[in-house]
Amino acid sequence: MAATDSWNDPERCPFCGEALASPGAGFVDHTAENPDCATKFETWRDRVDGDVRGGWGG
Ligand SMILES: [Zn+2]
């Protein structure tokens, strides 16, 4: 999983602030149990992708 400027605490969910069982892999489990966070993660990832491909327009 790529690190980002906005995600500076891999031990916590960046969307709800909940502590993860383990950094990285724990987040996958977390999104499986929290569809709301999974949705936000998809949106966030799409936006990061779009920014890079679009020339940092966002
Ligand atoms: Zn969360």
Side-chain angles (χ1 to χ4, degrees):
M1 187 177 292
T4 75
D5 290 345
S6 56
W7 191 348
N8 51 23
D9 189 350
E11 293 184 20
R12 284 183 183 276
C13 173
F15 305 112
C16 71
E18 192 173 307
L20 304 175
S22 65
F27 182 72
V28 176
D29 290 344
H30 177 78
T31 56
E33 293 170 10
N34 297 273
D36 210 40
C37 293
T39 302
K40 288 176 183 171
F41 175 59
E42 296 276 320
T43 304
W44 169 82
R45 193 175 53 185
D46 282 354
R47 196 170 56 221
V48 172
D49 268 5
D51 279 357
V52 174
R53 287 198 208 114
W56 303 98

